[in-house]
Amino acid sequence: MPFKRYVEIGRVALVNYGKDYGRLVVIVDVIDQNRALVDAPDMVRTQMNFKRLSLTDIKIDIKRVPKKKTLIKAMQEADVQGKWEKSSWGRKLIVQKKRASLNDFDRFKLMLAKIKRGGIIRQELAKLKKEAASS
Amino acid sequence: MAPKNSKVTRNPNLIPGIGKYSRSQMYHKKGLWAIKAKNGGQFPHHEKKAKPETTSEKPPKFYPADDVKKPLVNKRKPKPTKLRTSITPGTVLIILTGRFKGKRVVFLKQLPSGLLLITGPFKINGVPLRRVNQSYVIATSTKVDISGVDVNKLDDKYFGKKAEKKKKKGEGEFFEAEKEDKNVLPQEKKDDQKLVDASLIQSIEAVPDLKAYLAARFSLKSGMKPHELVF
């Protein structure tokens, strides 16, 4: 089981601890064995310990410590945000956030929708069972 | 002269009790010399207004042995409890205690006593026009359109207990007399309920699923953490 996601310049990572929890950042430089210089379009460039970062599959093509403008341009060309939102990891996070922000009324409507969906599935299943039994 | 909004002293304090300017400097600053000059060398003197003749009071017949202390004057007017900003007219509230616990109801207004006036509406979930304390209620962020409802005639007196008429103590008739029906709701209150609910139910039915939402009770299920829930 070799490693597939490497720490390299341009690797997109997710911050998993601290003030910037949940933010997507790009590794723009490696400081030493434990820390990286990390940057994002809406954030001041800072150093972060690798333990605070979860590497993603996404990588962009940048030189070491690019200017903010170049970084933003490279991120848009690689469509980091789009790739993230299409990936299963990204989609999971979006769903989690949506579920946490549900209103009491929204939760009620969700319950009604689940019951309705279950009913339709059961109907189809009953139909299929009948066909299987009769044939 | 137009009244000044803020009083600015002519003699600022160096230290509390000691002003910057001396008595003679203040005399000059206040312009008392000019006032005197206008009045021909003397400070203007107005005759005291004659007090109207009051009938002389008789000395009281009774003096208490010890001095009676007069209580301090209290001009405090109690205000109704501060309403949580999340509770506005038309908010759906979840009642937490009492026989209607878990019911989702519509908030109408805050009464002068501080209690909240709510209604089910009665046809939807069986909660009548009722008063409830703000502390025993969760405010959701769901709002109902309440513009067609007139709640001006409802106040604390409407909900207070009616003063019982004095019963005559007839020995034989004592127990029979007690059996008067005290528990029948007067028709007037039923009509008020119908009036308030009529326009409310219309605005509720305009929103899909809202009627079923108000008819259902709230309960905590497995995995729901109240401190993480958004209401």
Side-chain angles (χ1 to χ4, degrees):
Chain A
M1 23 154 274
F3 287 100
K4 290 214 199 83
R5 300 174 186 161
Y6 294 98
V7 168
E8 46 199 333
I9 297 181
R11 174 64 62 187
V12 174
L14 185 72
V15 180
N16 59 27
Y17 181 91
K19 190 170 65 102
D20 296 309
Y21 181 86
R23 205 197 278 266
L24 270 184
V25 292
V26 179
I27 296 177
V28 296
D29 198 4
V30 172
I31 298 173
D32 62 10
Q33 196 199 358
N34 296 320
R35 292 175 297 159
L37 193 61
V38 129
D39 203 355
D42 56 345
M43 171 175 114
V44 176
R45 204 192 296 151
T46 59
Q47 56 125 9
M48 265 197 194
N49 194 314
F50 286 118
K51 292 189 178 178
R52 290 197 177 196
L53 298 174
S54 301
L55 303 180
T56 67
D57 288 329
I58 309 172
K59 178 175 179 319
I60 64 178
D61 187 19
I62 50 170
K63 294 216 165 41
R64 196 186 134 260
V65 193
K67 287 214 192 337
K68 202 67 163 218
K69 277 210 298 213
T70 355
L71 177 68
I72 294 177
K73 193 153 158 287
M75 284 182 87
Q76 286 194 333
E77 277 177 17
D79 190 23
V80 167
Q81 196 60 30
K83 281 203 204 136
W84 175 246
E85 283 167 8
K86 279 193 237 135
S87 73
S88 56
W89 184 0
R91 277 182 288 140
K92 248 190 291 182
L93 286 191
I94 291 173
V95 169
Q96 277 176 10
K97 220 178 281 191
K98 188 75 173 76
R99 286 214 182 119
S101 73
L102 281 182
N103 196 339
D104 189 44
F105 188 27
D106 293 333
R107 266 175 265 133
F108 181 79
K109 286 190 272 192
L110 181 68
M111 173 190 75
L112 292 183
K114 278 192 180 169
I115 292 173
K116 202 168 186 181
R117 183 180 68 171
I120 296 172
I121 292 177
R122 242 188 300 256
Q123 270 184 343
E124 279 304 309
L125 185 62
K127 237 187 277 178
L128 290 173
K129 275 200 189 155
K130 216 163 82 160
E131 283 174 21
S134 63
S135 66
Chain B
M1 282 224 291
K4 238 183 161 180
N5 283 337
S6 59
K7 284 200 169 244
V8 181
T9 46
R10 280 184 253 256
N11 193 359
N13 273 349
L14 300 172
I15 289 175
I18 300 181
K20 184 171 171 187
Y21 297 107
S22 72
R23 201 184 167 91
S24 48
Q25 284 174 318
M26 281 312 296
Y27 174 88
H28 179 76
K29 275 172 86 76
K30 286 202 278 197
L32 300 178
W33 51 274
I35 296 177
K36 273 196 179 171
K38 242 170 78 169
N39 207 35
Q42 296 291 325
F43 202 72
H45 173 83
H46 299 283
E47 287 295 329
K48 264 201 175 150
K49 262 203 287 241
K51 275 217 294 234
E53 264 284 328
T54 51
T55 51
S56 53
E57 280 182 23
K58 273 186 11 193
K61 269 192 283 190
F62 170 73
Y63 291 99
D66 298 308
D67 279 333
V68 179
K69 273 194 181 235
K70 269 203 348 217
L72 292 171
V73 58
N74 180 8
K75 293 217 186 112
R76 180 177 172 267
K77 284 199 205 24
K79 299 192 293 200
T81 331
K82 192 151 174 228
L83 199 59
R84 266 183 270 163
T85 45
S86 52
I87 303 180
T88 63
T91 313
V92 173
L93 308 173
I94 301 176
I95 300 182
L96 297 173
T97 54
R99 61 184 289 223
F100 297 114
K101 53 174 139 337
K103 293 265 192 202
R104 299 172 170 119
V105 293
V106 179
F107 168 67
L108 298 175
K109 74 171 187 184
Q110 184 182 32
L111 301 170
S113 64
L115 299 174
L116 312 179
L117 176 65
I118 56 157
T119 181
F122 186 69
K123 267 213 169 337
I124 296 183
N125 55 18
V127 179
L129 282 166
R130 200 172 206 264
R131 293 184 296 176
V132 90
N133 191 313
Q134 209 192 144
S135 308
Y136 304 113
V137 135
I138 294 180
T140 66
S141 47
T142 318
K143 313 260 184 234
V144 174
D145 181 22
I146 213 175
S147 48
V149 177
D150 174 31
V151 270
N152 290 331
K153 67 178 278 200
L154 299 167
D155 64 345
D156 290 298
K157 275 204 290 284
Y158 180 91
F159 293 102
K161 286 208 169 69
K162 299 284 177 285
E164 283 184 20
K165 283 185 278 215
K166 284 235 175 112
K167 284 190 276 209
K168 280 204 225 134
K169 278 201 192 159
E171 279 186 22
E173 308 158 323
F174 204 75
F175 293 106
E176 278 88 0
E178 296 251 0
K179 272 197 97 190
E180 321 163 1
D181 39 11
K182 319 187 285 186
N183 288 333
V184 169
L185 198 62
Q187 184 60 29
E188 181 206 29
K189 290 210 174 173
K190 294 190 192 173
D191 292 334
D192 286 334
Q193 179 77 54
K194 286 209 189 98
L195 204 64
V196 169
D197 286 354
S199 50
L200 247 189
I201 292 183
Q202 275 188 344
S203 38
I204 287 174
E205 287 178 343
V207 181
D209 292 331
L210 189 59
K211 195 161 175 212
Y213 174 63
L214 291 176
R217 281 211 202 217
F218 171 81
S219 71
L220 277 183
K221 312 274 192 333
S222 177
M224 289 172 110
K225 299 178 192 142
H227 67 292
E228 285 180 357
L229 287 179
V230 170
F231 276 101

